[in-house]
Amino acid sequence: FWLKTRILVLDTPSPSAMSVCGTEKSAYDKCMHSSGRNAGACSKFATELKRCGDSVGKDFCIAESEALMKCSKAPGSDACAKEFMLMRECNRPSGKHMQFSDGVFSVPSDKAGLFNGQKIGLVSVAAPPTRTTAAMQAAGNDIAVGLHIPGGKADVRF
């Protein structure tokens, strides 16, 4: 229950954005909580918050929040991986480290220094493993080996 009520407040706006947009953010959050997170019922508040955020250069991640909530109600075979990643990237205090285009996440050249080139294989995955126990265990083993955990998945609890 706590996680569901906190999903919209993962982002910590800068003090200037919060002081300027505090009323709009509070009204949007209140509407989302009282409507059972029904984004359609809160579109007026979302528009006002987006307009305010745009005026101070702050993204309140409204589209990403709404996409993640919509997906979580009826997740597909990827278990909302794309929506989760987009929400995480939007909420980074220092800005997005990855971009999504043409169905693929990639690291922009200006952010490449944030990633360890020797372990880049851990963040550039073409597709998630199939949702079977064996496939997940194999993926876990690959990650454990990539992280130099002796014994691979045998030394990792899943």
Side-chain angles (χ1 to χ4, degrees), residues 36-70:
R37 286 170 290 287
N38 176 0
C42 302
S43 61
K44 173 186 166 213
F45 299 106
T47 302
E48 291 171 3
L49 180 57
K50 182 171 180 358
R51 185 178 306 123
C52 183
D54 289 346
S55 72
V56 295
K58 175 65 184 160
D59 185 354
F60 284 94
C61 305
I62 297 166
E64 292 82 359
S65 297
E66 292 177 359
L68 181 57
M69 288 186 298
K70 180 180 178 185

PDB file of all heavy atoms in Angstrom, residues 36-70:
ATOM      1  N   GLY A  36      -8.215   7.507  -6.920  1.00  0.00           N
ATOM      2  CA  GLY A  36      -7.708   6.149  -7.112  1.00  0.00           C
ATOM      3  C   GLY A  36      -6.687   6.096  -8.236  1.00  0.00           C
ATOM      4  O   GLY A  36      -6.605   5.130  -8.970  1.00  0.00           O
ATOM      5  N   ARG A  37      -5.923   7.166  -8.385  1.00  0.00           N
ATOM      6  CA  ARG A  37      -4.903   7.310  -9.422  1.00  0.00           C
ATOM      7  C   ARG A  37      -5.493   7.212 -10.822  1.00  0.00           C
ATOM      8  O   ARG A  37      -4.927   6.603 -11.724  1.00  0.00           O
ATOM      9  CB  ARG A  37      -3.759   6.323  -9.191  1.00  0.00           C
ATOM     10  CG  ARG A  37      -2.892   6.741  -8.030  1.00  0.00           C
ATOM     11  CD  ARG A  37      -1.898   5.707  -7.613  1.00  0.00           C
ATOM     12  NE  ARG A  37      -2.476   4.526  -6.977  1.00  0.00           N
ATOM     13  CZ  ARG A  37      -2.986   4.481  -5.755  1.00  0.00           C
ATOM     14  NH1 ARG A  37      -3.008   5.550  -5.028  1.00  0.00           N
ATOM     15  NH2 ARG A  37      -3.459   3.375  -5.249  1.00  0.00           N
ATOM     16  N   ASN A  38      -6.655   7.832 -10.990  1.00  0.00           N
ATOM     17  CA  ASN A  38      -7.303   7.892 -12.299  1.00  0.00           C
ATOM     18  C   ASN A  38      -6.817   9.155 -12.997  1.00  0.00           C
ATOM     19  O   ASN A  38      -7.286  10.254 -12.719  1.00  0.00           O
ATOM     20  CB  ASN A  38      -8.829   7.907 -12.124  1.00  0.00           C
ATOM     21  CG  ASN A  38      -9.566   8.055 -13.435  1.00  0.00           C
ATOM     22  OD1 ASN A  38      -8.953   8.145 -14.506  1.00  0.00           O
ATOM     23  ND2 ASN A  38     -10.880   8.077 -13.368  1.00  0.00           N
ATOM     24  N   ALA A  39      -5.880   9.000 -13.904  1.00  0.00           N
ATOM     25  CA  ALA A  39      -5.263  10.149 -14.571  1.00  0.00           C
ATOM     26  C   ALA A  39      -6.285  10.982 -15.345  1.00  0.00           C
ATOM     27  O   ALA A  39      -6.186  12.205 -15.400  1.00  0.00           O
ATOM     28  CB  ALA A  39      -4.153   9.677 -15.502  1.00  0.00           C
ATOM     29  N   GLY A  40      -7.280  10.329 -15.924  1.00  0.00           N
ATOM     30  CA  GLY A  40      -8.295  11.056 -16.688  1.00  0.00           C
ATOM     31  C   GLY A  40      -9.071  12.041 -15.833  1.00  0.00           C
ATOM     32  O   GLY A  40      -9.445  13.119 -16.295  1.00  0.00           O
ATOM     33  N   ALA A  41      -9.293  11.689 -14.585  1.00  0.00           N
ATOM     34  CA  ALA A  41     -10.032  12.564 -13.680  1.00  0.00           C
ATOM     35  C   ALA A  41      -9.210  13.773 -13.251  1.00  0.00           C
ATOM     36  O   ALA A  41      -9.755  14.752 -12.750  1.00  0.00           O
ATOM     37  CB  ALA A  41     -10.487  11.789 -12.453  1.00  0.00           C
ATOM     38  N   CYS A  42      -7.898  13.707 -13.456  1.00  0.00           N
ATOM     39  CA  CYS A  42      -7.003  14.762 -12.978  1.00  0.00           C
ATOM     40  C   CYS A  42      -6.309  15.507 -14.109  1.00  0.00           C
ATOM     41  O   CYS A  42      -5.298  16.181 -13.886  1.00  0.00           O
ATOM     42  CB  CYS A  42      -5.960  14.169 -12.035  1.00  0.00           C
ATOM     43  SG  CYS A  42      -6.699  13.335 -10.615  1.00  0.00           S
ATOM     44  N   SER A  43      -6.821  15.397 -15.314  1.00  0.00           N
ATOM     45  CA  SER A  43      -6.146  16.006 -16.463  1.00  0.00           C
ATOM     46  C   SER A  43      -6.021  17.522 -16.339  1.00  0.00           C
ATOM     47  O   SER A  43      -5.017  18.101 -16.758  1.00  0.00           O
ATOM     48  CB  SER A  43      -6.841  15.629 -17.769  1.00  0.00           C
ATOM     49  OG  SER A  43      -8.172  16.085 -17.764  1.00  0.00           O
ATOM     50  N   LYS A  44      -7.012  18.171 -15.731  1.00  0.00           N
ATOM     51  CA  LYS A  44      -6.934  19.624 -15.537  1.00  0.00           C
ATOM     52  C   LYS A  44      -5.740  19.978 -14.647  1.00  0.00           C
ATOM     53  O   LYS A  44      -4.962  20.892 -14.954  1.00  0.00           O
ATOM     54  CB  LYS A  44      -8.231  20.129 -14.896  1.00  0.00           C
ATOM     55  CG  LYS A  44      -8.196  21.586 -14.494  1.00  0.00           C
ATOM     56  CD  LYS A  44      -9.455  21.987 -13.725  1.00  0.00           C
ATOM     57  CE  LYS A  44      -9.219  23.307 -13.057  1.00  0.00           C
ATOM     58  NZ  LYS A  44      -9.916  23.434 -11.805  1.00  0.00           N
ATOM     59  N   PHE A  45      -5.567  19.240 -13.551  1.00  0.00           N
ATOM     60  CA  PHE A  45      -4.458  19.503 -12.625  1.00  0.00           C
ATOM     61  C   PHE A  45      -3.112  19.150 -13.258  1.00  0.00           C
ATOM     62  O   PHE A  45      -2.114  19.836 -13.035  1.00  0.00           O
ATOM     63  CB  PHE A  45      -4.661  18.719 -11.325  1.00  0.00           C
ATOM     64  CG  PHE A  45      -5.919  19.103 -10.595  1.00  0.00           C
ATOM     65  CD1 PHE A  45      -7.014  18.266 -10.596  1.00  0.00           C
ATOM     66  CD2 PHE A  45      -6.004  20.314  -9.913  1.00  0.00           C
ATOM     67  CE1 PHE A  45      -8.178  18.623  -9.928  1.00  0.00           C
ATOM     68  CE2 PHE A  45      -7.154  20.676  -9.241  1.00  0.00           C
ATOM     69  CZ  PHE A  45      -8.257  19.828  -9.252  1.00  0.00           C
ATOM     70  N   ALA A  46      -3.109  18.078 -14.061  1.00  0.00           N
ATOM     71  CA  ALA A  46      -1.873  17.683 -14.751  1.00  0.00           C
ATOM     72  C   ALA A  46      -1.440  18.769 -15.734  1.00  0.00           C
ATOM     73  O   ALA A  46      -0.253  19.098 -15.822  1.00  0.00           O
ATOM     74  CB  ALA A  46      -2.075  16.357 -15.476  1.00  0.00           C
ATOM     75  N   THR A  47      -2.396  19.329 -16.451  1.00  0.00           N
ATOM     76  CA  THR A  47      -2.096  20.395 -17.417  1.00  0.00           C
ATOM     77  C   THR A  47      -1.535  21.618 -16.703  1.00  0.00           C
ATOM     78  O   THR A  47      -0.550  22.219 -17.152  1.00  0.00           O
ATOM     79  CB  THR A  47      -3.360  20.774 -18.213  1.00  0.00           C
ATOM     80  OG1 THR A  47      -3.842  19.604 -18.881  1.00  0.00           O
ATOM     81  CG2 THR A  47      -3.090  21.870 -19.210  1.00  0.00           C
ATOM     82  N   GLU A  48      -2.130  21.979 -15.576  1.00  0.00           N
ATOM     83  CA  GLU A  48      -1.651  23.138 -14.812  1.00  0.00           C
ATOM     84  C   GLU A  48      -0.241  22.899 -14.267  1.00  0.00           C
ATOM     85  O   GLU A  48       0.613  23.781 -14.329  1.00  0.00           O
ATOM     86  CB  GLU A  48      -2.616  23.448 -13.664  1.00  0.00           C
ATOM     87  CG  GLU A  48      -3.960  23.980 -14.129  1.00  0.00           C
ATOM     88  CD  GLU A  48      -4.985  24.081 -13.002  1.00  0.00           C
ATOM     89  OE1 GLU A  48      -4.643  23.787 -11.841  1.00  0.00           O
ATOM     90  OE2 GLU A  48      -6.126  24.465 -13.309  1.00  0.00           O
ATOM     91  N   LEU A  49       0.012  21.692 -13.758  1.00  0.00           N
ATOM     92  CA  LEU A  49       1.337  21.370 -13.226  1.00  0.00           C
ATOM     93  C   LEU A  49       2.380  21.341 -14.337  1.00  0.00           C
ATOM     94  O   LEU A  49       3.481  21.864 -14.180  1.00  0.00           O
ATOM     95  CB  LEU A  49       1.304  20.024 -12.493  1.00  0.00           C
ATOM     96  CG  LEU A  49       2.628  19.563 -11.883  1.00  0.00           C
ATOM     97  CD1 LEU A  49       3.184  20.594 -10.900  1.00  0.00           C
ATOM     98  CD2 LEU A  49       2.450  18.202 -11.205  1.00  0.00           C
ATOM     99  N   LYS A  50       2.026  20.782 -15.489  1.00  0.00           N
ATOM    100  CA  LYS A  50       2.965  20.746 -16.614  1.00  0.00           C
ATOM    101  C   LYS A  50       3.284  22.161 -17.085  1.00  0.00           C
ATOM    102  O   LYS A  50       4.443  22.498 -17.334  1.00  0.00           O
ATOM    103  CB  LYS A  50       2.400  19.925 -17.768  1.00  0.00           C
ATOM    104  CG  LYS A  50       3.381  19.835 -18.932  1.00  0.00           C
ATOM    105  CD  LYS A  50       2.930  18.870 -19.974  1.00  0.00           C
ATOM    106  CE  LYS A  50       3.834  18.724 -21.148  1.00  0.00           C
ATOM    107  NZ  LYS A  50       5.011  19.498 -21.259  1.00  0.00           N
ATOM    108  N   ARG A  51       2.275  22.997 -17.185  1.00  0.00           N
ATOM    109  CA  ARG A  51       2.486  24.389 -17.612  1.00  0.00           C
ATOM    110  C   ARG A  51       3.420  25.107 -16.633  1.00  0.00           C
ATOM    111  O   ARG A  51       4.351  25.807 -17.025  1.00  0.00           O
ATOM    112  CB  ARG A  51       1.145  25.122 -17.711  1.00  0.00           C
ATOM    113  CG  ARG A  51       1.268  26.532 -18.271  1.00  0.00           C
ATOM    114  CD  ARG A  51      -0.086  27.246 -18.408  1.00  0.00           C
ATOM    115  NE  ARG A  51      -1.041  26.464 -19.170  1.00  0.00           N
ATOM    116  CZ  ARG A  51      -2.247  26.088 -18.720  1.00  0.00           C
ATOM    117  NH1 ARG A  51      -2.635  26.422 -17.495  1.00  0.00           N
ATOM    118  NH2 ARG A  51      -3.056  25.393 -19.474  1.00  0.00           N
ATOM    119  N   CYS A  52       3.181  24.920 -15.348  1.00  0.00           N
ATOM    120  CA  CYS A  52       4.024  25.550 -14.333  1.00  0.00           C
ATOM    121  C   CYS A  52       5.452  25.011 -14.408  1.00  0.00           C
ATOM    122  O   CYS A  52       6.416  25.771 -14.380  1.00  0.00           O
ATOM    123  CB  CYS A  52       3.444  25.327 -12.942  1.00  0.00           C
ATOM    124  SG  CYS A  52       4.378  26.161 -11.650  1.00  0.00           S
ATOM    125  N   GLY A  53       5.587  23.686 -14.513  1.00  0.00           N
ATOM    126  CA  GLY A  53       6.914  23.082 -14.611  1.00  0.00           C
ATOM    127  C   GLY A  53       7.675  23.573 -15.824  1.00  0.00           C
ATOM    128  O   GLY A  53       8.878  23.853 -15.752  1.00  0.00           O
ATOM    129  N   ASP A  54       6.982  23.687 -16.947  1.00  0.00           N
ATOM    130  CA  ASP A  54       7.621  24.192 -18.168  1.00  0.00           C
ATOM    131  C   ASP A  54       8.133  25.618 -17.979  1.00  0.00           C
ATOM    132  O   ASP A  54       9.185  25.981 -18.488  1.00  0.00           O
ATOM    133  CB  ASP A  54       6.651  24.148 -19.354  1.00  0.00           C
ATOM    134  CG  ASP A  54       6.365  22.731 -19.830  1.00  0.00           C
ATOM    135  OD1 ASP A  54       7.107  21.799 -19.436  1.00  0.00           O
ATOM    136  OD2 ASP A  54       5.393  22.559 -20.600  1.00  0.00           O
ATOM    137  N   SER A  55       7.393  26.403 -17.209  1.00  0.00           N
ATOM    138  CA  SER A  55       7.786  27.809 -17.023  1.00  0.00           C
ATOM    139  C   SER A  55       9.047  27.957 -16.175  1.00  0.00           C
ATOM    140  O   SER A  55       9.741  28.968 -16.268  1.00  0.00           O
ATOM    141  CB  SER A  55       6.637  28.614 -16.395  1.00  0.00           C
ATOM    142  OG  SER A  55       6.471  28.260 -15.029  1.00  0.00           O
ATOM    143  N   VAL A  56       9.354  26.939 -15.340  1.00  0.00           N
ATOM    144  CA  VAL A  56      10.565  27.004 -14.512  1.00  0.00           C
ATOM    145  C   VAL A  56      11.608  25.967 -14.928  1.00  0.00           C
ATOM    146  O   VAL A  56      12.604  25.764 -14.243  1.00  0.00           O
ATOM    147  CB  VAL A  56      10.242  26.854 -12.997  1.00  0.00           C
ATOM    148  CG1 VAL A  56       9.415  28.016 -12.506  1.00  0.00           C
ATOM    149  CG2 VAL A  56       9.586  25.526 -12.701  1.00  0.00           C
ATOM    150  N   GLY A  57      11.348  25.266 -16.046  1.00  0.00           N
ATOM    151  CA  GLY A  57      12.299  24.286 -16.540  1.00  0.00           C
ATOM    152  C   GLY A  57      12.357  22.999 -15.735  1.00  0.00           C
ATOM    153  O   GLY A  57      13.401  22.384 -15.612  1.00  0.00           O
ATOM    154  N   LYS A  58      11.226  22.589 -15.173  1.00  0.00           N
ATOM    155  CA  LYS A  58      11.173  21.377 -14.342  1.00  0.00           C
ATOM    156  C   LYS A  58      10.177  20.393 -14.932  1.00  0.00           C
ATOM    157  O   LYS A  58       9.044  20.746 -15.211  1.00  0.00           O
ATOM    158  CB  LYS A  58      10.762  21.749 -12.911  1.00  0.00           C
ATOM    159  CG  LYS A  58      10.552  20.561 -12.011  1.00  0.00           C
ATOM    160  CD  LYS A  58      11.826  19.806 -11.796  1.00  0.00           C
ATOM    161  CE  LYS A  58      11.579  18.561 -10.970  1.00  0.00           C
ATOM    162  NZ  LYS A  58      12.622  17.590 -11.130  1.00  0.00           N
ATOM    163  N   ASP A  59      10.628  19.146 -15.117  1.00  0.00           N
ATOM    164  CA  ASP A  59       9.753  18.077 -15.596  1.00  0.00           C
ATOM    165  C   ASP A  59       9.240  17.308 -14.380  1.00  0.00           C
ATOM    166  O   ASP A  59      10.023  16.710 -13.645  1.00  0.00           O
ATOM    167  CB  ASP A  59      10.526  17.148 -16.532  1.00  0.00           C
ATOM    168  CG  ASP A  59       9.646  16.090 -17.174  1.00  0.00           C
ATOM    169  OD1 ASP A  59       8.451  15.988 -16.823  1.00  0.00           O
ATOM    170  OD2 ASP A  59      10.164  15.356 -18.032  1.00  0.00           O
ATOM    171  N   PHE A  60       7.957  17.340 -14.150  1.00  0.00           N
ATOM    172  CA  PHE A  60       7.365  16.624 -13.029  1.00  0.00           C
ATOM    173  C   PHE A  60       6.999  15.183 -13.393  1.00  0.00           C
ATOM    174  O   PHE A  60       6.335  14.502 -12.628  1.00  0.00           O
ATOM    175  CB  PHE A  60       6.139  17.367 -12.494  1.00  0.00           C
ATOM    176  CG  PHE A  60       6.501  18.570 -11.662  1.00  0.00           C
ATOM    177  CD1 PHE A  60       6.582  19.827 -12.234  1.00  0.00           C
ATOM    178  CD2 PHE A  60       6.780  18.442 -10.318  1.00  0.00           C
ATOM    179  CE1 PHE A  60       6.932  20.932 -11.479  1.00  0.00           C
ATOM    180  CE2 PHE A  60       7.127  19.541  -9.547  1.00  0.00           C
ATOM    181  CZ  PHE A  60       7.203  20.793 -10.130  1.00  0.00           C
ATOM    182  N   CYS A  61       7.416  14.718 -14.559  1.00  0.00           N
ATOM    183  CA  CYS A  61       7.265  13.316 -14.985  1.00  0.00           C
ATOM    184  C   CYS A  61       5.802  12.861 -15.011  1.00  0.00           C
ATOM    185  O   CYS A  61       5.496  11.701 -14.694  1.00  0.00           O
ATOM    186  CB  CYS A  61       8.089  12.383 -14.109  1.00  0.00           C
ATOM    187  SG  CYS A  61       9.830  12.825 -14.022  1.00  0.00           S
ATOM    188  N   ILE A  62       4.920  13.726 -15.405  1.00  0.00           N
ATOM    189  CA  ILE A  62       3.492  13.400 -15.412  1.00  0.00           C
ATOM    190  C   ILE A  62       3.193  12.304 -16.429  1.00  0.00           C
ATOM    191  O   ILE A  62       2.543  11.307 -16.102  1.00  0.00           O
ATOM    192  CB  ILE A  62       2.641  14.654 -15.691  1.00  0.00           C
ATOM    193  CG1 ILE A  62       2.839  15.663 -14.566  1.00  0.00           C
ATOM    194  CG2 ILE A  62       1.172  14.297 -15.853  1.00  0.00           C
ATOM    195  CD1 ILE A  62       2.326  17.052 -14.869  1.00  0.00           C
ATOM    196  N   ALA A  63       3.681  12.449 -17.651  1.00  0.00           N
ATOM    197  CA  ALA A  63       3.412  11.446 -18.692  1.00  0.00           C
ATOM    198  C   ALA A  63       3.998  10.095 -18.301  1.00  0.00           C
ATOM    199  O   ALA A  63       3.348   9.053 -18.484  1.00  0.00           O
ATOM    200  CB  ALA A  63       3.977  11.909 -20.032  1.00  0.00           C
ATOM    201  N   GLU A  64       5.212  10.105 -17.751  1.00  0.00           N
ATOM    202  CA  GLU A  64       5.845   8.852 -17.339  1.00  0.00           C
ATOM    203  C   GLU A  64       5.087   8.192 -16.192  1.00  0.00           C
ATOM    204  O   GLU A  64       4.911   6.973 -16.180  1.00  0.00           O
ATOM    205  CB  GLU A  64       7.303   9.099 -16.935  1.00  0.00           C
ATOM    206  CG  GLU A  64       8.210   9.493 -18.079  1.00  0.00           C
ATOM    207  CD  GLU A  64       8.152  10.974 -18.452  1.00  0.00           C
ATOM    208  OE1 GLU A  64       7.382  11.734 -17.840  1.00  0.00           O
ATOM    209  OE2 GLU A  64       8.895  11.363 -19.370  1.00  0.00           O
ATOM    210  N   SER A  65       4.627   8.995 -15.233  1.00  0.00           N
ATOM    211  CA  SER A  65       3.852   8.462 -14.104  1.00  0.00           C
ATOM    212  C   SER A  65       2.565   7.817 -14.598  1.00  0.00           C
ATOM    213  O   SER A  65       2.215   6.704 -14.191  1.00  0.00           O
ATOM    214  CB  SER A  65       3.497   9.573 -13.115  1.00  0.00           C
ATOM    215  OG  SER A  65       4.630  10.128 -12.543  1.00  0.00           O
ATOM    216  N   GLU A  66       1.872   8.525 -15.471  1.00  0.00           N
ATOM    217  CA  GLU A  66       0.593   8.028 -15.970  1.00  0.00           C
ATOM    218  C   GLU A  66       0.776   6.774 -16.818  1.00  0.00           C
ATOM    219  O   GLU A  66      -0.018   5.838 -16.730  1.00  0.00           O
ATOM    220  CB  GLU A  66      -0.144   9.126 -16.719  1.00  0.00           C
ATOM    221  CG  GLU A  66      -0.598  10.234 -15.778  1.00  0.00           C
ATOM    222  CD  GLU A  66      -1.274  11.409 -16.471  1.00  0.00           C
ATOM    223  OE1 GLU A  66      -1.396  11.404 -17.722  1.00  0.00           O
ATOM    224  OE2 GLU A  66      -1.687  12.344 -15.758  1.00  0.00           O
ATOM    225  N   ALA A  67       1.835   6.730 -17.626  1.00  0.00           N
ATOM    226  CA  ALA A  67       2.098   5.539 -18.448  1.00  0.00           C
ATOM    227  C   ALA A  67       2.411   4.332 -17.562  1.00  0.00           C
ATOM    228  O   ALA A  67       1.938   3.217 -17.826  1.00  0.00           O
ATOM    229  CB  ALA A  67       3.241   5.807 -19.419  1.00  0.00           C
ATOM    230  N   LEU A  68       3.186   4.539 -16.509  1.00  0.00           N
ATOM    231  CA  LEU A  68       3.531   3.439 -15.598  1.00  0.00           C
ATOM    232  C   LEU A  68       2.294   2.957 -14.844  1.00  0.00           C
ATOM    233  O   LEU A  68       2.083   1.747 -14.694  1.00  0.00           O
ATOM    234  CB  LEU A  68       4.627   3.868 -14.623  1.00  0.00           C
ATOM    235  CG  LEU A  68       5.105   2.808 -13.637  1.00  0.00           C
ATOM    236  CD1 LEU A  68       5.615   1.566 -14.360  1.00  0.00           C
ATOM    237  CD2 LEU A  68       6.194   3.385 -12.747  1.00  0.00           C
ATOM    238  N   MET A  69       1.461   3.870 -14.396  1.00  0.00           N
ATOM    239  CA  MET A  69       0.244   3.468 -13.691  1.00  0.00           C
ATOM    240  C   MET A  69      -0.687   2.688 -14.616  1.00  0.00           C
ATOM    241  O   MET A  69      -1.258   1.670 -14.224  1.00  0.00           O
ATOM    242  CB  MET A  69      -0.474   4.689 -13.123  1.00  0.00           C
ATOM    243  CG  MET A  69       0.230   5.293 -11.942  1.00  0.00           C
ATOM    244  SD  MET A  69      -0.681   6.631 -11.160  1.00  0.00           S
ATOM    245  CE  MET A  69      -0.782   7.831 -12.468  1.00  0.00           C
ATOM    246  N   LYS A  70      -0.826   3.166 -15.854  1.00  0.00           N
ATOM    247  CA  LYS A  70      -1.695   2.486 -16.820  1.00  0.00           C
ATOM    248  C   LYS A  70      -1.164   1.078 -17.100  1.00  0.00           C
ATOM    249  O   LYS A  70      -1.916   0.111 -17.105  1.00  0.00           O
ATOM    250  CB  LYS A  70      -1.773   3.288 -18.117  1.00  0.00           C
ATOM    251  CG  LYS A  70      -2.655   2.661 -19.158  1.00  0.00           C
ATOM    252  CD  LYS A  70      -2.695   3.498 -20.428  1.00  0.00           C
ATOM    253  CE  LYS A  70      -3.554   2.827 -21.480  1.00  0.00           C
ATOM    254  NZ  LYS A  70      -3.513   3.546 -22.742  1.00  0.00           N
TER     255      LYS A  70
END
